[in-house]
Amino acid sequence: MPRQRDPGPRSPSSCSLFALLCTARPGLGIYDTFAQLVAVFLPYFNFFTVDSASCGLFPSYGPLVSHTSHTMASLVETLTASGGPESAGFLNDLVGHLWPNICVAGGAMIKQIAEPMFAQMLPAPLNTLHFAKIDLGVQPMTFSNVDVHKVDNGGIKLDLDVNWDGNCDIEMDGKMIPKVGVEHVKLSGRLSILLCPITNVIPLIGAAQVSFINPPYLKFTYTDGANIANLGFIDSCVRKVVQSIIAGMAVLPNRFLVKLDPFNDYFKTYQLPVGVVRLTIESGSNFGEELKSKNIFKKLVHDVPDCYVTTSLSGETPGWKTATVKDNHHPEWNETRDFIVSDHDQLLALDVKDSDTASDDDIGLATITVRNLLLAHGQKQDLTLMHKGEETAGKLTVSGKYYQFIPDATSIIGDENPAEIKGLLAVLVAAVKNLKGAREQLKPSVAITWGAHKFQTVVKCDVPGGAEDIQNPHFDNTFRIPLSGSIEGAAPVRIALMDGENEIGAVEVPLEEVLASENLALLKEFDVGNGQIVKAGVVIRGTKLVE
């Protein structure tokens, strides 16, 4: 299976394991402001009360050791449970009053993050685009349909809809291209906010982790002066960069982490994914066949199609592609793929195309949430294909099974099957302590190696007047590797402390030591030499079929 980086947290009220993180970055004031508003004003949600027994200090590294085993009956109860949709009127009032401040912080964030991405991702001459003006207008974002849950580790999870339909004044300029003006932005999606851990110490919440459950809808309206943008080329390029930034920071499995307590313990904040959904694409029907009431399909496919399906979870790329079934209106695949699930409301998108020599034609798109797939109890589901917002005659038949992540390695001791996810190896990098050297010259990072898998945290540097101590930096990163077979005799996990490109100390963690640890989670401070410490953890999870 391909390796996956997992920088954001999540913890559904079903399986007690796993929330992802995304390292907090300077200047992201809009996220910081929102997360702190939610934390500070949470008591005003009069429909939810935290049980006093859950508010005590967690035992060391609590979220990674808590676990609830599920039967199908208990999973269904979890999937159908809801705190009920509630109003977010008070939050909308607060955001309305703070909107001028949020605009300033948000404008700085957009410029700081987007311009380097334009330079890296856009073709010339669009890679010279920069912001000449950013005014987000007077219409604030609004929130609605709030659902609050207490999660298994004692934390609090809020799901809520966010909508921004605002007039703005944004100007972009570049070399050899006309100025591009944006006068209206529409953004909508469903946010998940995880408040964890809950403590007995003010501010009572250690950290807030913010993420869109699925990629949000995003649309720009350009000014009349930007006629070239109306052709779609600049629009598609700019939206691609913006959506990439949002996805990389705050679309599951990524979560944007805001520490409300500067001494928050990352091991108590991070939570593992909840499990694996095993999706089977069974077959399709009526691909390209005209029906009297729905003749749009005949227009989409002019001959007998050669169909394949590309599937993604929450927009993650690259998606999984089935084989192509040639010359068939009713193709059969019976192909299966596993996806790691961070939230049961994540969306599986199944895009059916007709393979062609010049370019592949769109036949239709079907979607289903993990929740709805699992509520079918493994039975086949017929999904209607949509094309440009219209129903077609085509149907896609799918089914699914759910495997819960558990602190038991039985499933990953045995034969290897590259097509199945039988477990998970997660490496957490919390912080470094006692780093030696001149502060202004230090560029610390932590590199992780396991077999052919290699990862590295961001490289830190000293910022005069900054809040972080460069000799004791926090990284708050997690890297995850899906396991498709036996870990018996596998290589150790190597944790190396880096200064720039130079390795200054390392430690190897045998998987046997992790397997011998309580709940298969080895969380500790590793001495990598010369008194320098890397606070890190290695966690192993197996899977269990929920039935």
Side-chain angles (χ1 to χ4, degrees), residues 232-281:
F233 178 64
I234 291 181
D235 175 50
S236 63
C237 290
V238 171
R239 277 194 299 112
K240 181 178 179 181
V241 172
V242 174
Q243 288 171 330
S244 176
I245 292 171
I246 295 174
M249 292 174 55
V251 174
L252 289 177
N254 303 322
R255 281 190 181 268
F256 182 72
L257 175 68
V258 179
K259 289 186 177 180
L260 304 178
D261 178 356
F263 302 104
N264 178 66
D265 188 342
Y266 179 58
F267 290 162
K268 297 181 181 181
T269 303
Y270 185 80
Q271 294 177 299
L272 295 165
V274 295
V276 173
V277 62
R278 182 159 296 163
L279 174 72
T280 298
I281 297 180

Side-chain angles (χ1 to χ4, degrees), residues 20 44 51 95 107 159 165 173 219 267 285 324 344 363 395 404 411 427 483 496 509 537 539:
L20 262 64
Y44 289 91
D51 194 330
V95 172
D159 293 336
D165 194 357
D173 202 357
K219 181 181 179 181
F267 290 162
S285 60
T324 299
H344 293 126
I363 290 183
K395 300 285 185 181
Q404 180 185 5
S411 64
V427 182
L483 301 175
V509 183
V539 182

Side-chain angles (χ1 to χ4, degrees), residues 11-13 149-157 194-196 271:
S11 172
S13 52
H149 296 278
K150 188 164 114 178
V151 293
D152 287 343
N153 65 11
I156 301 167
K157 179 175 175 281
L194 183 63
L195 306 174
C196 174
Q271 294 177 299

Side-chain angles (χ1 to χ4, degrees), residues 40-58:
V40 170
F41 291 95
L42 182 69
Y44 289 91
F45 286 96
N46 58 14
F47 53 86
F48 184 83
T49 303
V50 178
D51 194 330
S52 60
S54 70
C55 290
L57 292 173
F58 287 106

Side-chain angles (χ1 to χ4, degrees), residues 108-127:
M109 174 189 74
I110 293 169
K111 186 175 181 65
Q112 177 185 0
I113 296 175
E115 287 184 355
M117 298 294 285
F118 287 159
Q120 294 176 21
M121 297 179 62
L122 294 182
L126 294 182
N127 59 354

Side-chain angles (χ1 to χ4, degrees), residues 461-474:
C461 61
D462 189 40
V463 178
E468 185 166 51
D469 179 0
I470 194 61
Q471 293 179 313
N472 299 278
H474 288 263

